[in-house]
Amino acid sequence: MTGETVYPESEAVFNRAGKPVAIIKDRDATLNKGVRLWSDQQVHPVPTIDDIGHTIATSLKAQFEKLNIYKRFTALVSHGAKCLRQTELAFLMPPKLRSKGRFQSIGKLGEWAEKMLHVFAVSGNAEEGSQLAKLRKAFPHFSQSRDFIVRFASTTKIISQVMEILKNNGLDKTTYKQCFELSRKLPRNSKVKKCLQSWLKKHYIIQKNLTALPLPVSSDIIESLFGNFKHIIERSPQADMNRTVLLIPALCGKLTGTTVTQALRQASQADIEGWEKKHIPYTVRKKRHAFFNGGNSQKVGKDNTLKKHFSTA
């Protein structure tokens, strides 16, 4: 998928659903380009809103990821997590460090680390076999990272407060002032501070030009919707993007017996099959069915039958 392919798809959606007043998006380069290409074709360009969660995550990554002290700290955290897993102290394990989107939930790590500093703030030797002794063994020299942990936790705590305000209340004059004041508490040379203040100024202008109401600045709702959908399809032995995408509307809003009955009456099985053939011509299940029923499983390795059979997929 590229920006050039996102553009016509976006145009088709907006032609059917109506031109949006604004577009909330994450910082994905492909999506950014596709939206920009579409917006450039409009008489009046549509404002784009950068999702606050992804924006902050990007700034946190720029601030900390390349620091040696951060690398040592996360390595220590990972080591300690392995030591505590499936032990009596498993309840003190640090939050899991995700390989993808790590900085979107990094605030939990800062909160955990700050609490653990108090746990380790005990002078002298720990009694052999005690919980403190086991923790010190799992996280050797943890307190030596105190200065970094305090700075790291302070930053993530402020950012968590900002996101809670903006995600729950949107952006308007009141929340702009609240968040800008919070940003002043960040270190003067902080990349997170610079990014946040720049984002606030840019989007406050958008809000004033667009609406008197608070401006939605988070894509959490749509991401949560797809998260629920993924949770459902994972129950299948072959999690596949097929006609089950039609479940998504059913996960929105409040359903009543009347709306469900009406939907079932209006959408026949033939309609669903026709829609699937048009929009989802091939799925993993269909490929598997075609492969085994066509007898091609006996020809794998002998020629290019497998490649030819799925060349249109």
Side-chain angles (χ1 to χ4, degrees):
M1 181 176 290
T2 65
E4 286 74 12
T5 58
V6 170
Y7 162 49
E9 293 292 338
S10 301
E11 187 172 40
V13 170
F14 296 148
N15 286 341
R16 182 174 181 179
K19 182 179 178 180
V21 175
I23 299 174
I24 302 178
K25 59 177 180 57
D26 61 24
R27 298 173 67 89
D28 176 73
T30 299
L31 181 60
N32 287 346
K33 184 174 182 180
V35 169
R36 187 180 69 252
L37 290 173
W38 175 82
S39 183
D40 289 345
Q41 299 302 313
Q42 309 308 305
V43 177
H44 301 291
V46 175
T48 56
I49 301 167
D50 295 322
D51 170 72
I52 183 61
H54 288 86
T55 298
I56 292 300
T58 301
S59 66
L60 286 168
K61 183 177 181 179
Q63 179 78 38
F64 294 110
E65 187 178 47
K66 294 183 179 180
L67 297 179
N68 289 330
I69 182 63
Y70 170 78
K71 294 177 182 178
R72 291 196 297 270
F73 171 66
T74 52
L76 177 61
V77 167
S78 297
H79 172 268
K82 292 178 181 178
C83 293
L84 297 186
R85 189 171 292 115
Q86 295 185 340
T87 70
E88 61 177 343
L89 295 177
F91 66 94
L92 290 176
M93 283 177 56
K96 185 177 180 180
L97 292 174
R98 300 189 300 177
S99 57
K100 185 177 181 180
R102 171 176 297 186
F103 286 89
Q104 287 186 265
S105 58
I106 203 73
K108 295 179 181 178
L109 178 62
E111 183 180 355
W112 171 87
E114 189 175 38
K115 291 179 179 179
M116 291 302 291
L117 280 178
H118 296 292
V119 174
F120 285 112
V122 178
S123 59
N125 296 326
E127 183 179 348
E128 186 176 353
S130 66
Q131 290 186 341
L132 180 59
K134 293 177 181 178
L135 286 172
R136 284 179 173 176
K137 184 177 181 180
F139 301 98
H141 312 298
F142 187 88
S143 296
Q144 291 182 7
S145 300
R146 169 179 288 276
D147 290 344
F148 168 77
I149 291 173
V150 170
R151 186 171 72 253
F152 177 71
S154 174
T155 296
T156 57
K157 185 182 297 184
I158 292 171
I159 289 306
S160 294
Q161 292 174 331
V162 168
M163 288 200 290
E164 183 177 1
I165 292 171
L166 293 174
K167 288 185 177 184
N168 291 332
N169 303 303
L171 179 65
D172 58 11
K173 184 177 181 179
T174 300
T175 56
Y176 171 81
K177 289 182 177 180
Q178 290 175 336
C179 294
F180 208 90
E181 283 303 311
L182 284 170
S183 73
R184 295 181 190 277
K185 297 180 181 180
L186 294 168
R188 185 167 56 88
N189 61 345
S190 169
K191 294 180 181 179
V192 178
K193 179 178 184 177
K194 182 179 179 180
C195 177
L196 175 57
Q197 291 185 345
S198 175
W199 183 94
L200 286 168
K201 292 175 182 177
K202 173 186 174 182
H203 289 79
Y204 183 44
I205 293 174
I206 293 176
Q207 186 269 333
K208 288 192 295 183
N209 293 335
L210 202 60
T211 176
L213 299 173
L215 184 72
V217 293
S218 173
S219 60
D220 279 6
I221 294 176
I222 190 69
E223 290 183 18
S224 176
L225 174 62
F226 276 92
N228 290 336
F229 171 67
K230 289 180 181 179
H231 177 69
I232 292 174
I233 65 173
E234 283 173 356
R235 302 173 190 172
S236 170
Q238 296 176 15
D240 197 8
M241 187 67 76
N242 49 35
R243 70 172 70 178
T244 53
V245 297
L246 296 174
L247 285 171
I248 293 177
L251 300 175
C252 302
K254 295 182 179 180
L255 295 179
T256 64
T258 302
T259 55
V260 172
T261 300
Q262 183 180 8
L264 291 174
R265 287 175 177 172
Q266 291 180 345
S268 66
Q269 181 65 23
D271 291 335
I272 295 176
E273 290 178 353
W275 181 90
E276 184 180 18
K277 288 180 180 179
K278 179 179 179 180
H279 297 284
I280 311 177
Y282 250 94
T283 64
V284 171
R285 183 174 178 275
K286 286 181 179 179
K287 289 180 180 180
R288 179 188 292 268
H289 184 270
F291 176 73
F292 284 114
N293 285 356
N296 291 288
S297 58
Q298 303 299 320
K299 302 178 182 179
V300 176
K302 295 182 179 180
D303 52 31
N304 290 327
T305 303
L306 183 62
K307 182 177 179 181
K308 292 178 181 178
H309 188 69
F310 295 125
S311 61
T312 59

